[in-house]
Amino acid sequence: MTIKDTPEEWEVRATETPFKGNKTSVRTDDVVMPDGSVVRRDYQVHPGSVAVLALDDEGRVLVLRQYRHPVRHKLWEIPAGLLDIPGENPLHAAQRELYEEAHVKAESWRVLTDVYTTPGGCDEAVRIFLARDLSAAEGERFDVEDEEADMELARVPLDELVRGVLAGELHNNCLVVGALSLLAARQGDGLDALRPAEAPWPARPFEA
């Protein structure tokens, strides 16, 4: 048996959108089950996101601390953002987020992992990149607002992040998945064996 996720789509008898927001919406589908019954499923429709695990030459990961109102916490995270433009190249979006949130650029990019954040209630797909060979970005810093105006930046050794994840002290999905994936990649075939930055992403197809 091959352990691999596979695409599949069950019949939808009816669908409606009871809420439509600025970036996301809520959809209600009547889905036909294998036994022929029809059940209603509500879920958030999301454009998709990118995240960047930026690793410097000293083995430290660039993280930021930001207030997240739904969970009433300030969370340590890695730079991340929405795919604002349909069909946008996720690498370009990741490079933009690294610049805007940390004023940093990277010369080396790889795909670290792809995840569905909460597939039971949201169709958000996230591509997490590994960025290396970091340097300060040119020009003025990007103007931030709202929650981002209160962000803190730090560079933290990977081992410290992994310890915090396993101790239940760090909770952001992309940071947790990214840190553990980086640790696994280092202990496995190595970082240069990761997929190239332009690797296909069926969950959010894009033009190279």
Side-chain angles (χ1 to χ4, degrees):
M1 180 179 179
T2 301
I3 305 299
K4 181 179 179 180
D5 295 337
T6 56
E8 186 168 343
E9 188 167 351
W10 293 0
E11 179 186 353
V12 175
R13 290 277 175 86
T15 186
E16 59 185 70
T17 305
F19 170 79
K20 184 172 289 187
N22 185 33
K23 297 292 185 180
T24 67
S25 60
V26 172
R27 184 175 296 163
T28 299
D29 289 345
D30 292 339
V31 186
V32 180
M33 297 290 106
D35 64 0
S37 63
V38 178
V39 300
R40 178 156 288 193
R41 293 290 179 258
D42 302 318
Y43 59 100
Q44 182 184 19
V45 179
H46 194 284
S49 306
V50 293
V52 184
L53 195 147
L55 185 68
D56 69 15
D57 293 339
E58 298 179 35
R60 301 174 302 174
V61 176
L62 193 156
V63 292
L64 50 91
R65 189 169 182 242
Q66 185 171 348
Y67 177 65
R68 294 301 188 182
H69 186 69
V71 297
R72 307 306 200 269
H73 269 71
K74 272 192 171 182
L75 299 179
W76 285 103
E77 308 179 350
I78 57 177
L82 298 176
L83 289 168
D84 293 312
I85 305 168
E88 181 179 18
N89 187 311
L91 174 61
H92 299 164
Q95 291 169 333
R96 179 184 68 239
E97 293 300 330
L98 185 60
Y99 161 72
E100 291 182 357
E101 295 193 347
H103 200 64
V104 167
K105 64 179 181 179
E107 298 301 322
S108 174
W109 291 83
R110 293 272 183 173
V111 174
L112 188 54
T113 190
D114 299 323
V115 295
Y116 291 116
T117 54
T118 48
C122 180
D123 71 352
E124 181 184 16
V126 180
R127 169 157 281 189
I128 304 176
F129 289 90
L130 172 65
R132 292 179 289 170
D133 299 330
L134 308 182
S135 61
E138 295 89 359
E140 296 183 1
R141 293 189 67 91
F142 181 78
D143 287 333
V144 295
E145 58 185 11
D146 302 328
E147 291 91 343
E148 292 184 351
D150 189 48
M151 284 196 311
E152 304 170 47
L153 291 173
R155 296 194 182 203
V156 180
L158 176 64
D159 290 346
E160 185 175 334
L161 293 179
V162 171
R163 183 207 61 77
V165 168
L166 299 180
E169 298 169 353
L170 299 171
H171 307 89
N172 174 263
N173 183 288
C174 291
L175 185 150
V176 170
V177 173
L180 297 181
S181 296
L182 177 58
L183 180 65
R186 277 181 161 179
Q187 295 176 350
D189 295 332
L191 303 187
D192 291 331
L194 292 168
R195 287 173 291 161
E198 298 280 5
W201 189 18
R204 293 295 185 274
F206 62 93
E207 294 185 7

